[in-house]
Amino acid sequence: MVPSEAGAVAAPRRGLSWRDLGGAIRLESLVVLVLLCLALSLLSPYFLSVANALNILLATSVIGILGFASTFVIASAGIDLSLGSVLGFGGVVGALAVNVLGLPWPFGIVLGLAAGAFCGLINGLLVALAGIPAFIVTLGMLGVARGAALVLTGGQPIYGLPAPLVWLGQGRPFGVPVPAILFLALAAVTHFLLSRTRFGKYALVIGDNENAARATGIHVARLRIGLYTLSGLLAGLAGLLFAARVNSGDPTAGISYELTAITAAILGGSNLFGGRASVVGTLIGALIMGVLQNGLNLLAVSSFYQQMAIGSVLVLAVWLDQWNRSRGRA
Amino acid sequence: MTPLLELVDVRKKFGAVEALRGVSFALAPGEVLALLGDNGAGKSTLMKTITGIHRASAGRILFAGADLASHDPGQIRALGVEMIYQDLALARQQDVASNIFLGREPTRRFLGLPLHVIDRARIEREAEAMIRRLGARVPSVRYRVGDLSGGQQQSVAIARALTFAPKLVIMDEPTAALAVREVEHVLELVRELKRQGIAVILISHRLTDVFAVCDRAIVLRQGRTVADERVAETSMNTIVAHIVGAG
Ligand SMILES: Nc1ncnc2c1ncn2[C@@H]1O[C@H](COP(=O)(O)OP(=O)(O)O)[C@@H](O)[C@H]1O
Ligand SMILES: [Mg+2]
């Protein structure tokens, strides 16, 4: 447009670009995962086997799906603390629909998903339209959804689901657990959504600079509502898988799972303050958590210590990230 | 000639603060207008009311015959109004190409399915062409904007404003943070836009710049228009007197 200095546009830098895998993966997290696996292979003779690998995938699936949910919300500089409670609520609603109301099993799935999405929608409306901080809104939902699950069930698990639902949690076509398959399939779908579509791009942009998003015509409120609804929907799905695996709708399912899910996303390189996030990164982060838990189990470390380990890893991951960025290489 | 942009008694309140107390003016197609005034006079607020970031509390804003009251920022951009914001409004963790196409990403069908994905290849191609045409010194459109210098970031904001054939380009203090050579570049750009018949509203504290490129100057004081003069028929002293309120 302006005729001046000849355009000195250098050839695009390609090199070791992780763009195709989501751009935001921290190489360190992959290294940590590999080192962790190496260490555990040496420490335990049971670690390195196909059966144990499938176990890890199965055990990571529910947390991992919550991790994908938190990846989108964290991308937008939000946070969803209600994931674990919404998981419990979704599972209970699904179980009630088939077990108490006697509806056919597909209704259990649809109602469980709808219950999760509904919680997310309420979160989104309160964050985007009422302008209440996400931390407060979802902390409130953490209490409300858990309470609702307890009220609906009288505090008791609802045992016994129809065979097709149980298969979702316990089936093993070709020896591979169904939740593990769904987990990896969801990783692909949500990765696609975050890295290739406008919805994903805009989630990152509103987390990066909300004013820039608004100035360029992005519908910030509408997008936020969509993000929290997606988060709730995924939590509902995780709840159904959880219920299917234990063959019951347990109102106490998923307590404090949001902690692990957020940790997985941060470990995977998502920026807690928004603008940078990757589903593949979260997948690696969730696997780190899963491998860690599996290893501690194999080494017969008490689950109380495991909780301490998860909490420590979360703080360590954020601290490392901040340290990295203060050295100017975000 | 019918005006391109017409403001009629535009008012804006932020709670109890009256930032705009009745601003009226018209802008012809291709005209270059300076918007002057002390800090806090309401210049940025007025421009953000035109681009739809703020909604006017009263008054009317017409652009190419359309009443902007019912339009959101995206629709106003689509009508041909672009603004280079004082803080640039860039997403620092996104790369140059993404920032230039922000809010307007072309999409394509994914594997022929009814799934629309961002056409990344086209965005990079066109962003690169735009950067080259502007002669901007940005090493690659794949660089993250946060890693660029202030002048380079400015170029990205300018490229975004010019990529979609605008009819009006608003610049909010575009030269405030620039080195002398870069300032000259921006002024040359304003002249080039004028040659192409694109209207410009330039907010600047540098009166020499204003007198170098603008046709007309409007002075705001405490949310009111206190002067509206042809640059060729006034002097810097007169303008300064209007700005500080001695006129
Ligand atoms: N979002 C806002 N909320 C409240 N007051 C604002 C807001 N934006 C601007 N103002 C007030 O409006 C007045 C005009 O500000 P502004 O338009 O930024 O002035 P200028 O750009 O001329 O320096 C100031 O008193 C400022 O404090
Ligand atoms: Mg200003």
Side-chain angles (χ1 to χ4, degrees):
Chain A
M1 189 158 269
V2 173
S4 60
E5 312 148 42
V9 182
R13 200 178 43 168
R14 204 62 175 106
L16 197 123
S17 162
W18 291 80
R19 181 189 299 288
D20 304 323
L21 279 179
I25 302 175
R26 214 176 317 141
L27 204 52
E28 292 94 313
S29 55
L30 201 55
V31 173
V32 167
L33 180 60
V34 170
L35 288 180
L36 198 59
C37 289
L38 277 177
L40 287 169
S41 316
L42 297 176
L43 286 172
S44 164
Y46 307 108
F47 180 78
L48 204 59
S49 69
V50 172
N52 193 45
L54 290 177
N55 272 342
I56 292 173
L57 272 183
L58 175 61
T60 312
S61 56
V62 165
I63 284 294
I65 292 169
L66 294 187
F68 301 153
S70 59
T71 304
F72 281 84
V73 174
I74 288 174
S76 73
I79 189 117
D80 190 348
L81 297 176
S82 67
L83 286 169
S85 294
V86 173
L87 177 157
F89 182 64
V92 159
V93 168
L96 279 173
V98 292
N99 195 305
V100 176
L101 298 182
L103 297 171
W105 64 269
F107 284 89
I109 293 179
V110 170
L111 288 176
L113 293 177
F118 178 73
C119 293
L121 177 66
I122 300 294
N123 281 336
L125 288 171
L126 289 171
V127 170
L129 300 184
I132 309 170
F135 176 82
I136 298 300
V137 168
T138 59
L139 191 60
M141 184 57 79
L142 179 149
V144 172
R146 181 67 63 196
L150 289 164
V151 167
L152 284 176
T153 58
Q156 297 303 314
I158 298 162
Y159 287 108
L161 301 178
L165 277 187
V166 174
W167 181 82
L168 275 184
Q170 301 180 0
R172 278 183 177 258
F174 307 106
V176 183
V178 176
I181 297 169
L182 284 173
F183 172 40
L184 294 179
L186 265 179
V189 170
T190 52
H191 169 69
F192 179 86
L193 191 61
L194 183 61
S195 65
R196 304 290 294 275
T197 69
R198 284 183 173 187
F199 178 77
K201 168 76 84 186
Y202 294 171
L204 289 159
V205 170
I206 65 175
D208 195 325
N209 184 348
E210 193 176 321
N211 287 332
R214 199 163 282 131
T216 51
I218 294 169
H219 296 279
V220 174
R222 205 184 293 173
L223 197 74
R224 274 198 206 290
I225 294 168
L227 285 166
Y228 284 91
T229 306
L230 173 69
S231 183
L233 178 74
L234 289 173
L237 177 63
L240 288 171
L241 283 184
F242 190 107
R245 203 161 91 212
V246 297
N247 192 15
S248 73
D250 182 349
T252 63
I255 286 178
S256 88
Y257 275 24
E258 55 281 337
L259 177 67
T260 320
I262 292 166
T263 305
I266 303 296
L267 269 180
S270 295
N271 181 356
L272 189 55
F273 307 103
R276 172 166 48 91
S278 140
V279 168
V280 179
T282 301
L283 176 64
I284 294 170
L287 288 175
I288 291 176
M289 306 301 286
V291 167
L292 191 66
Q293 229 152 15
N294 177 265
L296 293 174
N297 280 338
L298 289 179
L299 300 174
V301 177
S302 142
S303 66
F304 301 148
Y305 287 107
Q306 295 184 17
Q307 287 203 20
M308 291 171 66
I310 293 172
S312 310
V313 169
L314 171 62
V315 177
L316 197 69
V318 173
W319 182 55
L320 274 179
D321 187 42
Q322 290 185 342
W323 181 68
N324 249 341
R325 264 180 305 150
S326 68
R327 292 190 318 173
R329 37 155 309 204
Chain B
M1 192 183 244
T2 55
L4 178 68
L5 174 74
E6 189 174 5
L7 278 73
V8 184
D9 198 28
V10 172
R11 293 162 188 272
K12 176 67 190 173
K13 280 189 189 176
F14 294 108
V17 179
E18 271 193 272
L20 301 175
R21 305 166 190 238
V23 177
S24 306
F25 68 84
L27 184 71
E31 193 175 17
V32 179
L33 176 77
L35 181 62
L36 306 168
D38 210 347
N39 281 330
K43 305 182 296 292
S44 297
T45 302
L46 182 62
M47 294 303 108
K48 286 179 180 173
T49 309
I50 295 173
T51 61
I53 300 287
H54 297 319
R55 201 163 279 282
S57 312
R60 292 206 315 155
I61 303 176
L62 300 166
F63 183 81
D67 190 335
L68 297 188
S70 55
H71 290 59
D72 67 34
Q75 293 166 327
I76 292 172
R77 284 187 86 196
L79 289 176
V81 180
E82 290 288 343
M83 176 155 169
I84 299 156
Y85 291 85
Q86 201 164 358
D87 66 2
L88 301 183
L90 297 170
R92 297 170 55 83
Q93 296 176 81
Q94 295 286 321
D95 65 12
V96 171
S98 299
N99 268 283
I100 291 177
F101 279 83
L102 210 54
R104 286 178 157 158
E105 296 79 1
T107 56
R108 61 180 174 80
R109 301 267 295 262
F110 180 69
L111 302 177
L113 300 167
L115 280 174
H116 293 271
V117 296
I118 293 174
D119 192 343
R120 182 66 208 177
R122 187 172 149 202
I123 286 179
E124 286 195 7
R125 209 167 50 236
E126 293 183 11
E128 216 163 289
M130 193 63 205
I131 288 287
R132 192 169 294 150
R133 251 190 302 164
L134 282 171
R137 301 187 159 223
V138 174
S140 158
V141 294
R142 287 187 178 169
Y143 270 41
R144 285 176 0 130
V145 161
D147 294 337
L148 301 178
S149 73
Q152 290 171 326
Q153 294 188 10
Q154 178 92 32
S155 301
V156 176
I158 290 174
R160 182 171 73 201
L162 302 187
T163 298
F164 297 90
K167 296 196 183 84
L168 166 64
V169 175
I170 299 170
M171 303 186 181
D172 195 348
E173 306 204 20
T175 57
L178 295 185
V180 178
R181 206 182 57 81
E182 293 169 326
V183 169
E184 200 40 58
H185 202 72
V186 170
L187 296 181
E188 183 48 44
L189 178 73
V190 173
R191 289 191 194 98
E192 173 64 21
L193 291 176
K194 182 177 170 60
R195 275 194 287 276
Q196 296 184 13
I198 298 168
V200 177
I201 299 179
L202 176 68
I203 300 180
S204 177
H205 284 295
R206 299 162 49 104
L207 288 185
T208 42
D209 297 352
V210 168
F211 275 77
V213 297
C214 296
D215 304 319
R216 219 172 109 204
I218 284 182
V219 180
L220 279 192
R221 194 162 72 233
Q222 294 174 356
R224 283 197 187 86
T225 333
V226 293
D228 183 344
E229 312 206 21
R230 303 215 59 81
V231 165
E233 296 158 11
T234 187
S235 70
M236 286 203 198
N237 286 341
T238 317
I239 295 287
V240 170
H242 282 306
I243 292 173
V244 300

